[in-house]
Amino acid sequence: MSRARQPPLVTGISPNEGISWTKVTIRGENLGTGPTDLIGLTICGHNCLLTAEWMSASKIVCRVGQAKNDKGDIIVTTKSGGKGTSTVSFKLLKPEKIGILDQSAVWVDEMNYYDMRTDRNKGIPPLSLRPANPLGIEIDKGRFPQKDLESLFPGMSADFTSENFSAAWYLIENHSTTSFDQLKTAVVNLKKQANKKNEGSLAYVKGGLSTFFEAQDALSAIHQKLEADGTEKVEGSMTQKLENVLNRASNTADTLFQEVLGRKDKADSTRNALNVLQRFKFLFNLPLNIERNIQKGDYDVVINDYEKAKSLFGKTEVQVFKKYYAEVETRIEALRELLLDKLLETPSTLHDQKRYIRYLSDLHAPGDPAWQCIGAQHQWILQLMHNCKESYTLDSDVRPSPIGHLSQTASLKKGQQLSQVVFVEKLTKLVVSQLPNFWKLWVSYVNGSLFSETAEKSGQMERSKKNARQRQNDFKKMIQEVMHSLVKLIRGALLPFSLREGELRQYGGWEMKSELSGQWLTHIIQTVRLSSESLTALEIPNDMLQIIQDLILDLRVRCIIVTLQHTAEDIKRLAEKEDWVVDNEGLTSLPSQFEQCIIHSLQSLKTVLDCKPGEASVFQQQKTQEDVCHMKLSKQMTIKNVCVVPYPPPKRYLKLMTEQRLLIALSNCRYLERHTFLNIAEHFEKHGFQGVDKITQVSMESLKELDQRLFEMYIEFKADPIVGSLEPGIYAGYFDWKDCLIPTGVRNYLKEALVNIIAVHAEVFTISKDLVPRVMSRVVEAVSEELSRLMQCVSSFSKNGALQVPEYFVLTPRKTPFFKKSL
């Protein structure tokens, strides 16, 4: 994406002219995305990258170097945009120089005098000692564009030391708004300066007149002596004298200028040393700057400075530079160790991990810091998980702190929170909070987003991707180890019977005082499901998360079994709540309570029975079906507690109450058979239970067996007294069938039997009229069978006795052997 940026464009520079080493501010567009993106900067053809300071994409600050051209463009080159262009130019002015014997009241910037050419004998022209303001009046820069002035005065210059100096250009550029009176003053100042120059030359000549006259006198004397003595005689002495004069002049000159020349040489050496220090102060100050930036945490600055120093001095042969660069390498090595320690330090955020890996990559750290960080995070997550378990198992007396959203669930506010539940919540929360960053770190490691553009260009990113492909299996094992530890720790707390003995010692250690209720297990299932959904959202492969799905399935099965067990216990205790108050249909509240208890149990299992994406049905395994079916059968078998008297009365005078309760129980059984069981079976099928028909069939058989036993018990209570009173009533008063009076009406024992049967009818009708046919047919049948038996025992009848026989057929309308015999 960075290469698609537009090339740099310089649209302004301030100031637009100046001498060498002038600090300028460059403004424009697309000047780079950062300090590392800036790779080139030239002004008037001179490379100014060493002094460049990148401020923003539209601003760069630097110093102008010593350029060969007086005027030129500003060219910026970046990694992202390439070589740029410029719409403005910079004018390089010649610096003012001060002679070695001239006095100066100010400290001159030594950089202006740095010159690699050390020809100190080169003369300095007087015109170079020009004043900054030759007119001596205030300079007021006009607003005329430079390009317009150049086009107006082609080939000319506003520099008054130039051969092509244009006074008009100078006045327009510097005094366009100056008044005429001020220009007059400027003329006067120019005349004064010219006079001072003339006076200075004349004073120089006057100061040397004595020497000139002495030389003239000496030459005159020599000339006269030559004429008097002859040429041959004075030739030697003249030569000797000239040599003496020259030696004396030379000695005098050396005496006069030796101190000055020494100071100049010393100044030149100092100046050159200062210029070298100034030019290469970046390297000389770099070790100290590295220490300071490390203490402030500005690692980006350190890396940028190191890259710049490495590119400039990495292969230098200068001993001083080698010494300082070695010191820089020492500091960088210490920084690598510091960053690696921070990278492997736990806990740390994903942002910090990526940042430290990028720093180490830019510093060309040995090894693979990213993989080291992944390994350290893996071990830290495992250690956190085991520490979480130990915090709950080592000190069983310590009560865990309540969890906020657990307290918000009203159905779970039953006593103190169980440590296993709090442990599972904390453990899953720990994994869900740590594993995403761990996974994202691996993804960044694989796609190479951990590294900067510098690492990408150096080929380090490709090497990292290659290493990541080779280590995919190792990382997969890390994820699987975290998943196995999570699942086994939860199994050790909730399903210890599902672990092997060795695993139980490592992941167990819980005091199982009592098993969790179905409500707690339902909450735990929901917690584990949310954790699984969070991990699935990270796009972790399903095969790595399958072990969590297996755990959820086992927890669901266990929750169903525990819930059914508790429901069976609740049904057993229903008999204790029976108040024997019947409604209009002869039913108590017990059948309704029984049905509601089961329905409530099934409703509590709704979330457990529902299959979330990726989950299997709890009934897919045959063993699970058998276990659940067995629990449902056990639950249905407890129906006896809904029908029978919970506390049989010990005393005889409670017999009536017991008989009424038997009728009530029979009525309840009838309702269970015709309504309740069908409703319950429908609810079981609605919730996806398997084998409902078998369960209903077994339950019906059990109910019919119970109903028949209760019915026989009630018939025994009601029919036996009536049947038992028949024989004594018949033979009361020594009644003899062979010798009896003519009957005048129905005998008393028959009246008593009829009254008792009517009483039974009334009692049954009061409780449930639906039971009348069933009960009365059995009672009448029992009485008829007894009368038939008694008649068969009579050997013979008299005429009067035979007249009483047909009255038995009021109760026994069927044809019996006795009826045939009497006929």
Side-chain angles (χ1 to χ4, degrees), residues 306 327-339 363-366:
Y306 173 65
E327 181 66 22
V328 170
E329 286 289 354
T330 302
R331 304 293 173 88
I332 293 298
E333 183 62 28
L335 176 59
R336 292 191 187 104
E337 296 177 358
L338 174 64
L339 292 176
L363 292 175
H364 308 286

Side-chain angles (χ1 to χ4, degrees), residues 283 287 320-332:
L283 177 63
V320 175
F321 294 164
K322 279 186 175 181
K323 179 180 179 181
Y324 276 89
Y325 185 74
E327 181 66 22
V328 170
E329 286 289 354
T330 302
R331 304 293 173 88
I332 293 298

Side-chain angles (χ1 to χ4, degrees), residues 17-244:
E17 64 177 10
I19 62 175
S20 299
W21 301 105
T22 299
K23 187 174 182 180
V24 296
T25 300
I26 301 171
R27 297 188 181 274
E29 302 174 358
N30 304 320
L31 301 183
T33 60
T36 58
D37 193 36
L38 183 65
I39 59 175
L41 175 61
T42 59
I43 300 178
C44 298
H46 185 270
N47 187 5
C48 303
L49 181 62
L50 188 62
T51 62
E53 183 178 2
W54 186 89
M55 307 300 291
S56 66
S58 60
K59 180 179 178 181
I60 298 176
V61 178
C62 70
R63 289 186 179 273
V64 181
Q66 291 183 344
K68 297 180 181 180
N69 302 326
D70 292 340
K71 190 174 184 180
D73 294 334
I74 301 94
I75 305 301
V76 176
T77 305
T78 63
K79 296 179 183 177
S80 58
K83 187 174 182 180
T85 56
S86 174
T87 60
V88 297
S89 60
F90 182 81
K91 185 176 181 181
L92 185 66
L93 303 179
K94 295 181 179 180
E96 298 181 5
K97 294 186 178 181
I98 301 176
I100 59 175
L101 298 180
D102 294 339
Q103 295 182 355
S104 176
V106 297
W107 175 261
V108 181
D109 188 359
E110 299 293 342
M111 290 187 298
N112 295 337
Y113 293 94
Y114 177 75
D115 193 350
M116 296 303 295
R117 299 171 298 173
T118 57
D119 186 8
R120 64 180 177 84
N121 296 321
K122 184 176 181 179
I124 302 175
L127 290 177
S128 64
L129 304 177
R130 60 179 177 84
N133 186 6
L135 298 183
I137 61 178
E138 183 179 359
I139 295 177
D140 185 8
K141 293 284 185 179
R143 297 182 180 179
F144 293 94
Q146 189 73 16
K147 290 184 178 180
D148 295 345
L149 293 174
E150 291 177 357
S151 61
L152 186 62
F153 301 98
M156 307 301 289
S157 173
D159 185 4
F160 54 82
T161 62
S162 175
E163 296 178 356
N164 301 324
F165 173 70
S166 173
W169 187 346
Y170 179 82
L171 290 175
I172 292 173
E173 185 177 18
N174 297 286
H175 301 287
S176 59
T177 59
T178 304
S179 63
F180 185 72
D181 294 336
Q182 289 180 330
L183 292 177
K184 288 181 178 181
T185 305
V187 173
V188 174
N189 293 337
L190 283 176
K191 291 180 179 180
K192 290 181 180 180
Q193 291 180 14
N195 292 332
K196 286 182 179 179
K197 288 184 178 180
N198 294 332
E199 291 176 359
S201 300
L202 183 61
Y204 177 77
V205 173
K206 290 181 179 180
L209 284 178
S210 59
T211 304
F212 175 76
F213 288 145
E214 290 178 0
Q216 184 65 29
D217 292 341
L219 291 176
S220 299
I222 292 173
H223 181 68
Q224 293 175 2
K225 195 169 184 179
L226 287 173
E227 291 180 351
D229 298 338
T231 302
E232 295 180 355
K233 293 182 179 181
V234 299
E235 183 176 359
S237 61
M238 182 185 69
T239 303
Q240 183 67 33
K241 188 170 183 179
L242 286 173
E243 291 180 354
N244 293 335

